[in-house]
Amino acid sequence: MKQQEQLLTIKRFVRHLFQDDITGHDYYHMKRVAHLAKLIAEKEHADRFICETAAWLHDVVDEKLFTNPTEIKKELERLLISIDLSKQEIAQIKLAITDISFRKGKVPKSLEGKIVQDADQLDAIGAIGIARAFAYGAAKGRHFYHEQFNNHTIKHFYDKLLLIKDTLHTKTAQHFAKERHQMMEQFLEQFYKEWNDGETTLARKDVEHHY
Ligand code: ADP
Ligand code: NI
């Protein structure tokens, strides 16, 4: 089987698996991460095919996204074997999708793994990152912002999103992150301005002092 056909089968598997997701982990998240991973791999001289394939599959092993994670892992195993990937390719793909979750705070061992993690993190910041955060918050029934409670989506920016630019492994991802980070800073500035009837800097301090 040619690489294009292998990728096509993988995309079909992913489309089917994530078709109902509304928490920001849908098919299009995988598509954007795969595209970013391919771009970063080219610039960082890593294995493009492994990065792209692993990026398409990176959330298949995320246990929080499925009610039956063991069954899903078996399905993934069957898929990888059925598309004629070599043992070595399968091992590289699996290695690249282990330890990529930011939440668990682990660093992937291979360059390809680091690239997939970087691509995943880039998709959590910028305009898309903002949209995903509010989609995730709403799906979990959270307020987008609240003056008394602390588990709102704006807080997630301080807990995770604004820290991402300093956790990226590759120079290429760090470069891509700059514009996206600025976008979030601008968004927060404008958010506080509107929340506080036009008061800017002071208003932001007022909101931030809660954390
Ligand atoms: P990872 O894929 O690194 O394990 P998550 O699955 O926790 O990270 O996050 C994936 C997406 O969901 C990101 O866009 C992230 O911002 C969003 N997200 C995760 N937790 C929250 C939260 N508490 N509030 C808002 N968005 C969240
Ligand atoms: Ni992801």
Side-chain angles (χ1 to χ4, degrees):
M1 219 187 242
K2 293 211 185 84
Q3 287 189 343
Q4 281 316 312
E5 282 174 66
Q6 289 170 323
L7 274 167
L8 208 64
T9 313
I10 286 170
K11 287 179 204 176
R12 258 190 238 117
F13 174 75
V14 168
R15 191 188 288 275
H16 169 72
L17 215 52
F18 294 97
Q19 61 189 350
D20 297 327
D21 182 276
I22 51 154
T23 69
H25 300 85
D26 58 7
Y27 173 81
Y28 294 107
H29 165 59
M30 313 311 154
K31 186 177 176 187
R32 290 188 303 269
V33 175
H35 177 71
L36 281 167
K38 205 167 87 171
L39 276 183
I40 300 171
E42 269 164 24
K43 300 233 190 268
E44 300 283 331
H45 309 291
D47 188 317
R48 269 173 41 182
F49 179 68
I50 297 298
C51 285
E52 189 178 359
T53 315
W56 273 106
L57 295 169
H58 78 278
D59 272 336
V60 174
V61 292
D62 190 336
E63 302 203 342
K64 78 171 181 313
L65 297 178
F66 302 101
T67 47
N68 53 345
T70 316
E71 185 47 41
I72 301 288
K73 276 185 195 160
K74 279 189 200 148
E75 272 187 46
L76 173 63
E77 194 73 38
R78 282 195 290 271
L79 171 88
L80 294 176
I81 293 167
S82 75
I83 56 175
D84 298 336
L85 290 164
S86 70
K87 279 214 174 90
Q88 198 201 349
E89 284 172 323
I90 294 180
Q92 283 175 301
I93 292 166
K94 281 191 188 164
L95 185 66
I97 58 180
T98 310
D99 295 339
I100 76 149
S101 168
F102 178 89
R103 250 173 318 113
K104 294 176 195 146
K106 293 188 179 163
V107 177
K109 290 180 188 63
S110 65
L111 173 61
E112 285 70 24
K114 290 189 174 86
I115 287 175
V116 176
Q117 189 180 56
D118 277 2
D120 191 32
Q121 298 295 76
L122 282 174
D123 202 55
I125 60 176
I128 295 279
I130 294 171
R132 289 182 72 214
F134 288 106
Y136 184 99
K140 302 285 168 193
R142 300 200 182 127
H143 294 280
F144 68 82
Y145 179 68
H146 200 287
E147 295 186 359
Q148 267 91 45
F149 304 134
N150 237 348
N151 66 340
H152 52 81
T153 301
I154 289 291
K155 179 154 190 300
H156 183 63
F157 284 75
Y158 298 92
D159 291 343
K160 176 176 172 184
L161 306 184
L162 293 171
L163 312 180
I164 284 179
K165 75 170 174 39
D166 296 323
T167 67
L168 299 168
H169 308 292
T170 63
K171 287 258 174 305
T172 309
Q174 285 161 10
H175 175 71
F176 289 157
K178 282 196 184 118
E179 189 187 21
R180 292 173 188 234
H181 185 86
Q182 263 174 20
M183 171 83 222
M184 293 193 298
E185 288 281 5
Q186 268 170 17
F187 166 77
L188 288 170
E189 208 58 47
Q190 181 70 18
F191 182 94
Y192 297 130
K193 191 171 161 185
E194 293 175 19
W195 188 272
N196 291 297
D197 304 325
E199 297 277 336
T200 52
T201 329
L202 187 67
R204 176 166 181 158
K205 284 214 183 71
D206 269 2
V207 181
E208 277 177 1
H209 93 273
H210 287 290
Y211 313 132

